[in-house]
Amino acid sequence: MVKMKSITSVSVTFTEGKTITEVVGSTVMLPCNQSVNKINQLTWTMNSKTLLSYRPGGLLYTHPEAERLNITMSLSESERYTLIIKRAEKNHTGNYTCEATIAEKGILEQTWELIITDHEQTGNWIIPLIPVAVIVPCVCCLIFIFAMIILRRSCKCRAKSRHPTAEMRKQPEDIYENCLEIDVRQRSSHPQPHHCNHRAQ
């Protein structure tokens, strides 16, 4: 979204940046129209407080607020005019504006909203996963153990139904012994005739 307005014959172009959310301790880099090469002056502000001022061919002036917040600006070709915050803290949260004065174009402004959050806030979604990661394997192990117990019991029942018990094996032997006893009794109750051999006279 670009807005144009003139203030005493000086045009000001506002370019809206975007909201950036970073974690405490991270390095934050806010670009400032890297395509702009010919500028008369460039200023970075935070919540309307001046942080850095730069004139081509001159020195980069760092204001006390930038020193306090440990904020610098890159002048390299790849990251020209990029605001750099090393080891960001929560007090770095705010609106950052890059204001570039360009010959024949007026003033170009670009604003970024920076939000710095704690490690705990960004990692809150991990905390509920810890009990789940512990409980799920335990439940799976219990299910496996119960399944093995049921399987072993069913196998034992099948084995018993296929093979006769020791008592069933003894039954034919008992029947055989009973038959022998009956035969012996019958013989004792009906004695065999005794044959006598007479001597010849």
Side-chain angles (χ1 to χ4, degrees):
M1 180 178 178
V2 178
K3 300 177 182 179
M4 297 291 295
K5 70 177 182 178
S6 62
I7 304 176
T8 62
S9 71
V10 177
S11 62
V12 180
T13 305
F14 296 94
T15 304
E16 291 185 358
K18 62 180 180 179
T19 300
I20 297 177
T21 303
E22 294 291 346
V23 181
V24 170
S26 61
T27 298
V28 180
M29 303 180 72
L30 304 176
C32 177
N33 301 305
Q34 297 179 12
S35 62
V36 177
N37 295 320
K38 296 180 180 180
I39 64 170
N40 295 333
Q41 183 176 352
L42 185 138
T43 304
W44 269 105
T45 61
M46 173 190 175
N47 299 329
S48 301
K49 293 182 179 180
T50 303
L51 297 174
L52 303 159
S53 299
Y54 172 73
R55 284 177 178 269
L59 296 176
L60 174 65
Y61 180 72
T62 303
H63 291 257
E65 186 70 11
E67 292 180 354
R68 185 181 69 83
L69 295 171
N70 194 21
I71 296 175
T72 59
M73 187 180 75
S74 174
L75 296 175
S76 65
E77 291 294 329
S78 59
E79 299 172 351
R80 184 175 291 179
Y81 314 135
T82 297
L83 190 75
I84 301 174
I85 304 173
K86 294 182 179 179
R87 294 185 296 276
E89 299 176 1
K90 292 196 72 175
N91 59 355
H92 286 110
T93 298
N95 294 318
Y96 292 80
T97 301
C98 173
E99 181 182 296
T101 304
I102 305 169
E104 300 178 356
K105 290 186 178 179
I107 299 174
L108 181 72
E109 290 188 359
Q110 185 176 18
T111 300
W112 299 87
E113 182 184 5
L114 178 63
I115 300 173
I116 305 298
T117 61
D118 292 329
H119 290 286
E120 291 79 7
Q121 291 178 352
T122 57
N124 277 343
W125 63 273
I126 300 176
I127 296 175
L129 294 180
I130 295 175
V132 174
V134 175
I135 293 172
V136 170
C138 294
V139 172
C140 292
C141 290
L142 289 175
I143 293 173
F144 179 75
I145 292 171
F146 284 131
M148 290 299 296
I149 293 172
I150 294 171
L151 184 63
R152 289 188 64 182
R153 287 184 178 179
S154 63
C155 289
K156 286 182 180 180
C157 291
R158 290 180 182 177
K160 287 181 179 179
S161 63
R162 289 180 181 176
H163 301 288
T165 60
E167 294 179 358
M168 294 177 64
R169 291 178 182 175
K170 288 181 180 180
Q171 287 181 0
E173 296 177 3
D174 294 341
I175 295 171
Y176 180 73
E177 289 176 2
N178 291 336
C179 292
L180 288 177
E181 289 178 2
I182 293 170
D183 188 36
V184 170
R185 289 176 185 172
Q186 288 179 352
R187 289 184 180 180
S188 60
S189 60
H190 302 284
Q192 297 291 331
H194 181 69
H195 298 282
C196 297
N197 291 328
H198 298 280
R199 294 180 181 179
Q201 293 180 354

